[in-house]
Amino acid sequence: MLSEPFYDPARTYLENFERGPFSLFAEPCVYEQKGDPQHSFLGHPVYLPLGIAAGPLLNGRFVKAALDKGFDIPVYKTVRTRRYPAHAWPNVLAVKPEGDLGLEIGPLVGSEDYSQPLSITNSFGVPSFDPEFWQQDIADAAAHARRGQVVVASFQGTSSGTGDVDAYIEDFALAARLLKETGVKIIEANLSCPNEGTANLLCFDVERARRVVERIREAVGSLPLVIKIAYFREEDQLRRLLQEVGALVDGIAAINTLPAQIVDENGAPALPGEGRLRSGVCGRSIRWAGLEMAQRLARMRGELRLRFAIIGVGGLSNQEDYRAYRERGADAAMTATAAMWNPRLAIEIKEAQP
């Protein structure tokens, strides 16, 4: 039985931003941690290396609620150096693939049937407010972390629209510097969304990804830096990325979503607007891909003698999934879809620990 979600798909992005969070996240109760933190995440003690991935925590209220409900590593939704609008509503729809979501799959029907096994498509377009808003909001959210918790802030660069690659890369660096000014302890560069101006995800453009990471590292110095990447089909391409950036980053989070065509019951695009026929699918049906990437990253990390932390993401819905990520080499694990409909998920996983 699913709970009322803390992000309401029936409302627009802006309505959620202004009025949310909902459900248990709207209640003032705080989960009381027991004992001392027994784990570490990028140099910070945590009670359990479990968090909510970049996406559903739209602002500081959402992040504070996640901290209060026992998610020790919440990620503030991706920000930009300038205001950027959200896609038109709807932004979230349920999808029902048969079992695991394959890499080659026909259209999926989007609906409002949010039931188990839960998978959704989300199509937001990485909206952002101006730094004048989010710098203070992130600072307040980061300060809300209690002992054994740490906030991560996600960011990405924005194209100028002129095709100026250097300006695009510099915008990543500017966003990173602005985040550093907030006092947040860890930042996450989103390389798993489109390399603006091309059809590729930035993480698949290994040369440009290396330039971006190098520039971010120059901008923030020793501030812990995580990069978020997508599922890699090609083993050699993933290895090349790690060879280029593995020594420059402190952590790698994988995966984001898997793409699919989303249609309505009549076969027409379910999401309005140009370029939205294909969108990312997350939730239970992509668990296999997240676990596979965690295992591959752990193996290559050893082979290449690198030291980055691995943050496993994709389909984590319960204690067994958390344990599976840890067993495959993930130093931390994160949920998003399942947590939206089960705000008690961190509490349930913590209480199931031996």
Side-chain angles (χ1 to χ4, degrees):
M1 182 68 178
L2 297 175
S3 301
E4 176 192 358
F6 69 71
Y7 179 97
D8 184 358
R11 303 173 191 254
T12 67
Y13 172 82
L14 189 57
E15 288 172 332
N16 275 276
F17 189 96
E18 292 176 343
R19 302 179 191 177
F22 305 100
S23 183
L24 181 66
F25 268 30
E27 299 178 8
C29 55
V30 177
Y31 177 69
E32 295 296 332
Q33 310 270 18
K34 299 178 178 65
D36 297 319
Q38 299 296 312
H39 302 273
S40 179
F41 178 68
L42 297 181
H44 298 277
V46 294
Y47 280 96
L48 196 69
L50 174 69
I52 295 181
L57 302 181
L58 307 190
N59 56 40
R61 293 193 309 278
F62 285 78
V63 172
K64 292 174 183 178
L67 291 164
D68 289 349
K69 303 308 180 286
F71 293 93
D72 293 335
I73 315 172
V75 184
Y76 192 108
K77 183 173 172 60
T78 309
V79 297
R80 299 174 183 259
T81 61
R82 68 200 74 165
R83 190 179 183 92
Y84 200 88
H87 286 330
W89 182 89
N91 305 105
V92 174
L93 291 171
V95 294
K96 299 293 180 183
E98 295 182 4
D100 291 341
L101 182 66
L103 299 178
E104 303 293 343
I105 190 170
L108 298 174
V109 176
S111 74
E112 296 178 3
D113 178 17
Y114 301 104
S115 58
Q116 300 285 17
L118 180 62
S119 290
I120 63 172
T121 185
N122 71 83
S123 176
F124 290 96
V126 197
S128 177
F129 284 79
D130 291 323
E132 287 77 9
F133 167 80
W134 59 250
Q135 277 194 301
Q136 186 59 57
D137 196 47
I138 290 174
D140 291 344
H144 191 76
R146 298 171 178 83
R147 186 172 71 121
Q149 298 182 316
V150 63
V151 172
V152 181
S154 173
F155 69 101
Q156 74 175 60
T158 305
S159 170
S160 64
T162 65
D164 188 333
V165 174
D166 290 337
Y168 175 57
I169 294 171
E170 190 57 36
D171 197 63
F172 267 97
L174 175 58
R177 287 197 301 271
L178 292 171
L179 278 178
K180 185 176 182 179
E181 292 173 3
T182 71
V184 71
K185 299 296 197 312
I186 301 167
I187 61 174
E188 179 184 277
N190 181 10
L191 307 188
S192 59
C193 283
N195 188 353
E196 298 192 13
T198 78
N200 283 333
L201 303 186
L202 178 53
C203 59
F204 296 155
D205 186 341
V206 174
E207 170 60 23
R208 189 171 297 184
R210 177 187 60 77
R211 292 181 60 194
V212 166
V213 171
E214 286 178 340
R215 189 67 192 91
I216 294 170
R217 180 53 75 198
E218 291 172 359
V220 301
S222 61
L223 181 67
L225 170 63
V226 175
I227 57 171
K228 180 74 168 286
I229 65 173
Y231 178 83
F232 277 68
R233 298 189 186 205
E234 301 296 332
E235 191 88 348
D236 289 345
Q237 187 182 30
L238 178 58
R239 183 179 295 273
R240 289 199 307 274
L241 179 70
L242 298 187
Q243 289 171 331
E244 292 293 334
V245 307
L248 297 171
V249 302
D250 300 284
I252 298 179
I255 61 173
N256 187 348
T257 61
L258 293 179
Q261 292 186 5
I262 311 299
V263 299
D264 63 19
E265 58 185 9
N266 298 315
L271 300 169
E274 184 178 355
R276 296 181 73 194
L277 175 59
R278 289 179 67 83
S279 65
V281 172
C282 48
R284 191 67 184 180
S285 62
I286 72 163
R287 174 182 178 269
W288 71 271
L291 289 171
E292 182 187 302
M293 280 290 289
Q295 191 166 26
R296 290 162 67 192
L297 286 168
R299 173 172 51 80
M300 291 186 187
R301 177 177 62 182
E303 292 171 354
L304 298 172
R305 298 183 180 181
L306 296 167
R307 302 180 65 181
F308 58 82
I310 297 167
I311 301 97
V313 189
L316 192 160
S317 305
N318 51 43
Q319 154 68 6
E320 290 72 26
D321 296 338
Y322 170 78
R323 185 171 63 246
Y325 270 104
R326 298 282 278 155
E327 289 173 349
R328 283 161 177 77
D331 301 282
M334 293 194 178
T335 178
T337 304
M340 288 167 63
W341 271 267
N342 180 11
R344 285 183 50 84
L345 183 57
I347 297 171
E348 293 173 0
I349 291 176
K350 286 181 172 180
E351 293 181 348
Q353 296 304 298

